[in-house]
Amino acid sequence: MRRRALLGVGLGALAGCTARPARGTPRAPASPSPVSPWTLPVATPSPWRTGKSRADRLRDAVTPFLSSLMFPGGVVFAAVDGAVVAHFAFGDAVRYDAAKAELSADRRVPATTETLYDLASLTKTFTAVLALRLVEQGLLALDAPVAGYLPSFVDKPAITVQMLLTHTSGLSKDVPLAGSTPAERVEHVLREPPVGPAGGGYLYADQNFIALGAIVSRLSGKPLDLLVREQIAGPLGLARTGYNPPSSLPTAATEGGIRGTVHDPSAAAFGGVAGHAGLFATASDVALLGRVLLTGGGPLLRPSTVDLMRADANRRFGPAAAHGLGVDVDQAWYMGKLAGRGAFGHTGFTGTSLVCDPGRRIVLVLLTNRVHPDASRGSNNPARRAVADAMLS
């Protein structure tokens, strides 16, 4: 299993060292260069300790769903208190051709622990981290109107940044695409009117994080793909996390056998880079982000910010709406028995999920390509719950 560094790894160290100038020689100012997650070195020692418990139970939990073809394959990563208890792949990364016909056994591509998966809406948690970094820097305020950061929201003055993060803005769940360029399509989505009152209730909507991604990019002066590379992938050593992965990397197929191109139609229309979807990653990389959020923020966020992020900000709307700043809270529909003690995480339409349980110090990742060859099999929530329950059995 390949290991990545979690704490104390700076972007300078990842980019390589430069020669030390002679004594008395003025040092030239550093010239920052983009850091690509696809070329980050794999560092040691591992942030995880080794362990073997629960692995067999997790395999037993996922096997029935693989047998019933709920998904062609996937990867499970589980850790307890920093000890890896399971990290294994199952099934196929590619099982069907472009016509959705099942491939013969010799033409299939088995899933491995190094396979990248389309994270879909799990991207939202990464975008939330970028936004909260701006909050810590004083460049973004949670209670400020979004219109102060995005002119497109001038006719939606009551919507605040926190409402975007908690899906309480009243923005539409589904927005039709229009425009001939990625920029025009984003602008069209941002200008769409809300379908409910700002702050009036919980309505999960991609439009919230499309807007949040636009804010983050506008305030930072950089595109989201570069921000993820420099501010998340670089510091954590996530060598296999990013947008638009190169074809040289092993990537699980989605609908029609597509590999390496985002499945979400809006993100695809935006050029593959968006705040609500578009990221690809391995299970171990996703788990490292989870571990950071479980243990106080590491090099990404302050502990107080992480506490705020994973606290339920929607209490007035009831437990079904429990949501922090970019994460769900105690949602048993996919967290199973891990829900109920402050567990937080997120899912993705393609069949991905992350669950972090602070009380039990559990990080659990399930990545599947349940939309391969299409999404006709329905949700893989039963598998998510079964895997979560197996952590406690």
Side-chain angles (χ1 to χ4, degrees):
M1 180 178 113
R2 306 182 77 178
R3 311 295 187 183
R4 284 110 175 138
L6 176 61
L7 303 177
V9 179
L11 289 176
L14 291 168
C17 300
T18 56
R20 185 185 300 275
R23 186 181 300 274
T25 303
R27 184 186 294 272
S31 178
S33 58
V35 178
S36 169
W38 313 122
T39 57
L40 288 173
V42 177
T44 56
S46 165
W48 307 106
R49 300 192 301 276
T50 57
K52 296 181 180 179
S53 63
R54 295 184 177 88
D56 290 341
R57 294 197 296 274
L58 288 166
R59 285 184 183 275
D60 291 342
V62 78
T63 297
F65 301 100
L66 181 63
S67 301
S68 66
L69 299 182
M70 177 176 281
F71 34 65
V75 179
V76 168
F77 189 108
V80 181
D81 198 19
V84 178
V85 298
H87 186 199
F88 60 87
F90 53 90
D92 299 316
V94 182
R95 183 178 291 183
Y96 304 90
D97 63 17
K100 302 182 181 180
E102 191 166 9
L103 298 169
S104 59
D106 62 315
R107 295 178 60 200
R108 299 177 187 177
V109 179
T112 74
T113 56
E114 290 301 309
T115 301
L116 277 71
Y117 286 80
D118 181 338
L119 298 185
S121 284
L122 244 175
T123 300
K124 292 180 172 71
T125 299
F126 287 77
T127 303
V129 168
L130 293 175
L132 291 172
R133 286 172 62 86
L134 291 173
V135 171
E136 289 186 345
Q137 296 166 30
L139 300 176
L140 184 65
L142 293 175
D143 59 354
V146 174
Y149 305 105
L150 291 178
S152 310
F153 271 62
V154 66
D155 59 342
K156 300 182 279 284
I159 296 177
T160 67
V161 173
Q162 178 156 323
M163 291 176 190
L164 299 181
L165 284 158
T166 58
H167 295 285
T168 56
S169 66
L171 291 176
S172 175
K173 185 175 182 179
D174 298 300
V175 178
L177 294 170
S180 58
T181 67
E184 289 177 358
R185 293 166 193 147
V186 171
E187 184 63 20
H188 173 77
V189 171
L190 295 179
R191 290 190 178 278
E192 279 291 297
V195 295
Y202 176 79
L203 176 62
Y204 183 87
D206 287 343
Q207 192 179 0
N208 288 305
F209 276 75
I210 293 172
L212 193 67
I215 292 173
V216 168
S217 182
R218 184 183 180 94
L219 292 182
S220 302
K222 296 180 180 181
L224 281 176
D225 54 348
L226 184 57
L227 292 171
V228 168
R229 294 173 189 177
E230 291 183 339
Q231 298 188 21
I232 299 179
L236 300 189
L238 306 185
R240 293 294 181 265
T241 297
Y243 292 92
N244 294 320
S247 59
S248 58
L249 292 179
T251 307
T254 56
E255 291 202 54
I258 299 299
R259 304 176 71 183
T261 298
V262 62
H263 177 267
D264 180 87
S266 296
F270 303 155
V273 180
H276 72 293
L279 279 176
F280 288 74
T282 60
S284 54
D285 271 14
V286 174
L288 282 176
L289 177 65
R291 187 182 184 215
V292 166
L293 298 180
L294 194 70
T295 57
L300 302 184
L301 297 170
R302 300 168 188 160
S304 58
T305 303
V306 173
D307 288 344
L308 182 65
M309 180 183 187
R310 63 195 198 190
D312 182 11
N314 291 348
R315 289 184 180 277
R316 64 191 184 281
F317 302 126
H323 205 278
L325 305 181
V327 291
D328 302 307
V329 179
D330 284 331
Q331 294 302 308
W333 55 270
Y334 75 92
M335 298 178 180
K337 295 177 182 177
L338 294 180
R341 298 175 56 180
F344 62 95
H346 215 290
T347 62
F349 182 81
T350 49
T352 60
S353 57
L354 164 68
V355 180
C356 301
D357 183 340
R360 303 179 183 95
R361 302 178 301 282
I362 289 174
V363 176
L364 176 63
V365 176
L366 172 63
L367 303 186
T368 76
N369 55 341
R370 67 106 187 166
V371 294
H372 177 56
D374 56 42
S376 62
R377 295 184 182 91
S379 169
N380 65 329
N381 284 336
R384 289 167 171 155
R385 290 193 296 269
V387 170
D389 290 351
M391 291 296 295
L392 300 180
S393 60

